[in-house]
Amino acid sequence: MSDCDIYAMGSDGSSPVNLTKTPADDEDDPAFSPDGMKIAYIRSVGGNPDIFVMNVDGTGQTNITNTPGIAEAHPAYSPDSSQIAFDVDSGPSTDVFLMNADGSGRHDITNIPDAGSREMDPSWESIQTCGGRRVTQVGDDGPDKIFGTRGPDVIAGLGGRDVILGLGGRDRLCGGRGKDKLVGGKGKDRCIGGPGKDKGRTCEKGKI
């Protein structure tokens, strides 16, 4: 008998921990919510795959679909963690469904009537914004120094102590999680502080 469990470990492969510990059932397809609070995954109960969610430490394991005779797979959280996309194998075809993160509001979003059509493995595009505009440059988790261009830029820090400098054009500069320094350029720039204790100067407007 197979026994597939879901483990978590450090990014370097250290300290693996079994989160599910269910010798009678198999789990696979784990997906972290972007807010880092939940893991969605598939558990095959009596051979029927349902979507479960749990806390990142393995507690609170909950079946949020509970659809006997219908096979679900490949859960994928939306960027704001409020919804889950997944695929449903009804036998003659496979469709992509969408539901709220608690399992409510389930509906078919592909709904192609042709028998034998296969839509599966959904994923989301993650779009980061800064002051209502789509980010054109973003830092990483380290301490970055990010320069704008002569045109209108939308620049955001991520982690670490970043230095973000506008150059020309009407730029928008957003701090990230670290203690960032936002420096406006020659254009009329807007500086917006992030979760960290950011500092800004030579910004025409914006709250730091």
Side-chain angles (χ1 to χ4, degrees):
M1 179 183 292
S2 64
D3 179 20
C4 295
D5 287 316
I6 292 174
Y7 283 69
M9 62 184 178
S11 58
D12 60 356
S14 62
S15 305
V17 177
N18 188 338
L19 299 178
T20 50
K21 301 177 184 177
T22 53
D25 301 316
D26 289 337
E27 291 89 17
D28 57 17
D29 287 347
F32 270 98
S33 62
D35 63 10
M37 301 297 292
K38 298 286 185 179
I39 300 173
Y41 60 101
I42 299 299
R43 175 178 290 170
S44 294
V45 181
N48 188 79
D50 283 323
I51 296 177
F52 280 64
V53 296
M54 63 181 167
N55 299 321
V56 294
D57 62 358
T59 61
Q61 299 180 20
T62 305
N63 187 341
I64 62 170
T65 54
N66 196 19
T67 50
I70 298 176
E72 293 133 352
H74 309 119
Y77 276 98
S78 62
D80 65 358
S81 303
S82 69
Q83 296 179 297
I84 298 174
F86 57 103
D87 54 66
V88 174
D89 186 350
S90 61
S93 62
T94 304
D95 288 314
V96 173
F97 277 62
L98 187 66
M99 64 182 172
N100 297 322
D102 63 0
S104 65
R106 171 190 178 111
H107 60 285
D108 190 340
I109 60 173
T110 53
N111 198 24
I112 295 177
D114 296 339
S117 65
R118 299 291 177 188
E119 296 82 43
M120 58 185 68
D121 292 338
S123 62
W124 296 77
E125 181 184 11
S126 182
I127 298 175
Q128 185 170 348
T129 60
C130 168
R133 288 166 55 188
R134 186 169 181 162
V135 169
T136 57
Q137 296 184 64
V138 64
D140 58 29
D141 280 324
D144 302 306
K145 192 169 186 178
I146 310 171
F147 294 91
T149 67
R150 293 181 179 179
D153 301 302
V154 185
I155 308 173
L158 188 60
R161 294 174 178 264
D162 300 324
V163 178
I164 303 174
L165 304 101
L167 185 60
R170 292 175 178 264
D171 302 324
R172 295 195 184 190
L173 314 178
C174 283
R177 296 188 300 270
K179 295 180 180 180
D180 304 319
K181 184 177 181 181
L182 314 179
V183 183
K186 294 180 180 179
K188 296 180 178 180
D189 300 333
R190 180 179 179 185
C191 297
I192 303 167
K197 294 182 179 180
D198 302 326
K199 295 181 179 180
R201 64 182 177 87
T202 63
C203 301
E204 183 183 67
K205 60 180 180 178
K207 183 178 180 180
I208 296 294

